[in-house]
Amino acid sequence: MVQVMDGTFASPSATAKYAAVPSSTEDGILSLAYNGMNGWSAVLTLFLMLVAYDQFKYIWNKGNIAGPSLKMPFIGPFLESVNPKFEKYTAKWASGDLSCVSVFHKYGFIGCCIFVDRKAYAASRFVVIAASRDMARKVLNSPMYVKPCVVDVAQKLLRPTNWVFLDGKAHVDYRKGLNGLFTRQALQTYLPGQEEVYEKYFARFVDISQRKHNGTPIPYMPLFRELMCAVSCRTFVGHYMSETAVKKIADDYYKITAALELVNFPFIVPFTKTWYAKKAADMVLDEFSKCAAKSKVRMAAGGDITCIMDGWIKAMQDSEKYRQKTAQGIEVDPSEKPSHLLREFSDFEISQTVFTFLFASQDATSSATTWLFQLMAKRPEILDKVRAENVALRNGDRDAKFSMDILEQMTYTRAVVKEILRYRPPVTMIPYIVKKSFPVTDTYTAPKGSMIIPTTYPALHDPEAYPEPETFDPDRWITGDAEKASKNWLVFGTGPHYCIGQTYAQLNLAAMIGKASMHLNWEHHATPLSEEIKIFATIFPMVSMNMLGGRGKQLVERGRLIPRVVFLG
């Protein structure tokens, strides 16, 4: 039976007069809230929810380790990272064996994510700092849980296929093929090229300071960077690269370093640091690829090995010859079998690998060179002892050439190098990414996806291992107990990713400062900032070192260090 209302046969629900009223008080509240919410209030609500989640996630990840109770939402200590202060780092290291921060990681919009290549990028990353020696060593020796990482743009510069981004067995196998490039015999092969570079640049230092600048102090840090770039390129690729290309790489490599700072665009945006760095990296890779092509031709023709690239390519070609003989059933004397069979690498693959050698050495050796000149100027008695040792080992002939025998007998000079690497370690932090939840201690587990950073500086300045650690004292390596503190010696890392070129690096620095001591003299006119530390990829004196050079002339280094560089005899 149809109910008639208001004289019509319409449904009551279709008649405004008889519209249904809310069935409950709760429905009325929700309706009012919904109707009263505009776009801005929705955004604010979402923002506050994200802030709350960001804080909760930080507190949850922090657990019981040292660190701020709360964090700046999303960006963490972003502003401090723009201009990092060394004292901030030391305070963080001193706060506990393990501490944490949550830092701005990738550029994103509040309340949403940016999707690039199907990946969602968060606005912050949780970072655990492993400050003590034992915590640092545990991280470095835990490849099951962690793997090395760098800032996001690094893969775009070095390329994602680069061997340094390999992990596990793939990394171990690749590394085995490179070990032969850093043996004692191989290092002896590279010495003539290195000495040639040092002779040229030391003469140039003198000319610049005396003829071009009439003994007026000038910043020498750029020249030290160029010097170490030139000696690295000569060691890595010999004479396959022109001096013009070497100068170009030395000048532009600074752009690559600048792009690898913590605070930078993770994407290649035109006219940003990362954009300029990508152009510089492309140029370096192209130059090294050209060198690889030239080396392959020369090695195939029976040329002598003069650089690392030659040695590696010769090993590839020997491996291929061995494989061909065995495939043909030809009996091969066991002595002819290469120690490690290598596949054939393309020019670009070789270029990528050599680029990583430059990547590892350029800033580190530039830093060590700067500190060596500065501190030896401050301590002329150390310079005198280095000079006396080097002259004596050459039987009074300052022009006698390098040899491994001479370098290995430089007891005091090598102690000076070890002490500068301890006192002002070029690498203070080594970032790793946590592959899976990592039980760092019995009471703390680093979450998957977080970054964990072992630090080297506290271990190298531990007063129990190195008494009076803030004193530059080379004798601690000769008459003291420094050599016994092997667990604290983390300059080159430890574990499966320790620096493959650590012996080369130390001998190269010893050769450089030994030769400089025999042909140059310098003095330091200090400023209040000379001993202050500036962080730029590695650590440098705070102010540009000035240097003068020549026969009775001056040389200036970073730190308004006004060395008088003199050719002796």
Side-chain angles (χ1 to χ4, degrees):
M1 178 177 181
V2 178
Q3 183 179 10
V4 179
M5 287 188 174
D6 198 21
T8 74
F9 292 93
S11 168
S13 62
T15 305
K17 182 176 178 180
Y18 298 99
V21 297
S23 62
S24 68
T25 304
E26 287 78 6
D27 289 343
I29 294 173
L30 291 175
S31 177
L32 288 172
Y34 177 80
N35 293 330
M37 180 177 288
N38 57 30
W40 284 111
S41 58
V43 169
L44 178 60
T45 300
L46 181 58
F47 173 77
L48 292 175
M49 291 173 62
L50 288 169
V51 168
Y53 174 77
D54 190 52
Q55 293 291 349
F56 171 78
K57 189 69 180 293
Y58 167 75
I59 295 170
W60 179 269
N61 287 336
K62 176 181 178 295
N64 60 0
I65 64 176
S69 299
L70 298 173
K71 54 163 288 193
M72 180 71 73
F74 308 112
I75 64 174
F78 174 81
L79 297 179
E80 292 180 13
S81 301
V82 174
N83 185 25
K85 305 293 185 183
F86 188 71
E87 55 270 22
K88 293 285 188 179
Y89 283 99
T90 55
K92 192 68 179 174
W93 299 332
S95 68
D97 290 356
L98 291 176
S99 61
C100 68
V101 293
S102 185
V103 298
F104 186 70
H105 174 45
K106 297 229 183 189
Y107 291 82
F109 298 107
I110 301 299
C112 66
C113 291
I114 294 178
F115 286 85
V116 179
D117 296 332
R118 299 181 183 177
K119 298 178 182 177
Y121 292 100
S124 63
R125 168 172 280 169
F126 186 73
V127 180
V128 177
I129 311 296
S132 69
R133 179 200 70 183
D134 293 340
M135 288 295 99
R137 291 185 65 87
K138 181 165 186 177
V139 175
L140 294 169
N141 285 287
S142 299
M144 180 183 298
Y145 294 101
V146 299
K147 65 178 181 179
C149 69
V150 284
V151 295
D152 300 301
V153 76
Q155 286 201 11
K156 298 177 177 65
L157 303 183
L158 299 175
R159 301 299 191 273
T161 55
N162 200 301
W163 79 284
V164 294
F165 300 121
L166 296 176
D167 191 29
K169 186 176 184 301
H171 174 265
V172 172
D173 289 344
Y174 200 107
R175 189 184 180 99
K176 286 179 180 178
L178 301 174
N179 287 335
L181 306 177
F182 298 95
T183 63
R184 185 183 189 278
Q185 181 180 356
L187 296 180
Q188 173 69 51
T189 303
Y190 315 143
L191 290 178
Q194 294 167 9
E195 187 157 35
E196 180 183 334
V197 173
Y198 287 131
E199 288 174 349
K200 171 188 171 183
Y201 272 84
F202 289 163
R204 183 180 169 196
F205 288 174
V206 172
D207 181 67
I208 289 173
S209 66
Q210 298 305 302
R211 186 178 66 82
K212 294 183 178 179
H213 293 278
N214 298 316
T216 302
I218 59 170
Y220 255 66
M221 183 60 202
L223 278 172
F224 284 150
R225 290 180 65 89
E226 184 181 333
L227 165 65
M228 300 319 293
C229 182
V231 78
S232 293
C233 287
R234 181 59 54 84
T235 303
F236 302 156
V237 300
H239 285 277
Y240 299 123
M241 182 180 290
S242 69
E243 292 184 2
T244 301
V246 171
K247 179 69 165 61
K248 176 68 172 171
I249 291 175
D251 291 343
D252 286 4
Y253 196 88
Y254 186 89
K255 299 173 184 176
I256 297 173
T257 303
L260 295 174
E261 292 179 300
L262 178 63
V263 181
N264 264 316
F265 284 103
F267 315 117
I268 306 298
V269 179
F271 307 110
T272 61
K273 287 183 180 179
T274 54
W275 185 75
Y276 287 112
K278 180 64 164 57
K279 290 172 68 69
D282 289 347
M283 179 271 295
V284 174
L285 288 167
D286 183 59
E287 289 293 338
F288 283 157
S289 293
K290 294 175 185 176
C291 293
K294 295 174 185 176
S295 178
K296 285 181 177 179
V297 172
R298 184 168 169 273
M299 289 298 99
D304 294 330
I305 295 174
T306 61
C307 61
I308 283 177
M309 186 175 281
D310 281 347
W312 196 27
I313 288 174
K314 179 69 162 55
M316 294 177 205
Q317 294 177 348
D318 288 346
S319 295
E320 181 59 24
K321 290 177 183 177
Y322 176 81
R323 278 192 293 266
Q324 289 179 0
K325 287 182 179 181
T326 55
Q328 295 170 11
I330 301 174
E331 186 175 350
V332 182
D333 189 281
S335 63
E336 295 182 28
K337 181 179 180 180
S339 57
H340 189 77
L341 287 173
L342 302 178
R343 67 173 175 84
E344 185 75 17
F345 289 83
S346 69
D347 295 345
F348 189 72
E349 286 177 311
I350 295 170
S351 175
Q352 285 181 296
T353 300
V354 174
F355 190 10
T356 64
F357 295 160
L358 184 64
F359 178 79
S361 65
Q362 175 61 11
D363 292 306
T365 56
S366 297
S367 168
T369 298
T370 299
W371 288 111
L372 272 172
F373 273 98
Q374 176 163 316
L375 288 167
M376 289 177 69
K378 183 180 179 181
R379 301 280 299 278
E381 75 280 8
I382 293 177
L383 174 58
D384 289 342
K385 290 178 72 172
V386 169
R387 177 180 295 131
E389 178 179 71
N390 277 266
V391 172
L393 287 172
R394 292 168 172 80
N395 297 317
D397 181 6
R398 290 185 173 91
D399 295 320
K401 300 301 182 182
F402 290 151
S403 71
M404 287 297 292
D405 289 337
I406 289 177
L407 292 177
E408 289 170 348
Q409 292 179 67
M410 291 181 183
T411 304
Y412 189 75
T413 306
R414 288 189 293 113
V416 169
V417 169
K418 288 202 76 169
E419 181 65 355
I420 203 70
L421 295 175
R422 181 205 68 81
Y423 182 66
R424 292 292 183 260
V427 179
T428 58
M429 296 172 283
I430 311 168
Y432 279 72
I433 195 76
V434 178
K435 299 189 291 185
K436 62 180 180 179
S437 294
F438 179 17
V440 188
T441 69
D442 292 339
T443 59
Y444 183 74
T445 297
K448 177 183 178 180
S450 63
M451 184 182 287
I452 187 164
I453 304 180
T455 61
T456 66
Y457 196 92
L460 294 165
H461 285 251
D462 180 356
E464 292 186 9
Y466 309 108
E468 298 183 38
E470 300 308 318
T471 299
F472 180 69
D473 180 18
D475 285 314
R476 73 172 79 243
W477 298 98
I478 302 172
T479 58
D481 294 331
E483 289 289 358
K484 296 179 182 179
S486 58
K487 287 188 176 181
N488 286 68
W489 182 248
L490 296 177
V491 172
F492 298 98
T494 186
H497 290 276
Y498 75 90
C499 177
I500 195 172
Q502 59 179 307
T503 301
Y504 157 73
Q506 293 178 81
L507 290 178
N508 181 32
L509 288 169
M512 182 274 297
I513 203 64
K515 191 170 187 68
S517 73
M518 294 186 296
H519 294 279
L520 305 172
N521 193 23
W522 56 97
E523 60 188 41
H524 182 195
H525 295 237
T527 73
L529 295 178
S530 294
E531 291 296 320
E532 297 296 317
I533 294 175
K534 175 180 176 61
I535 298 177
F536 182 70
T538 178
I539 59 176
F540 292 102
M542 184 64 73
V543 287
S544 291
M545 173 176 176
N546 298 322
M547 203 157 113
L548 312 168
R551 185 177 296 276
K553 307 169 178 156
Q554 291 192 326
L555 189 125
V556 182
E557 199 203 354
R558 186 174 176 83
R560 291 291 302 178
L561 161 87
I562 304 179
R564 171 177 291 270
V565 174
V566 182
F567 272 104
L568 302 176

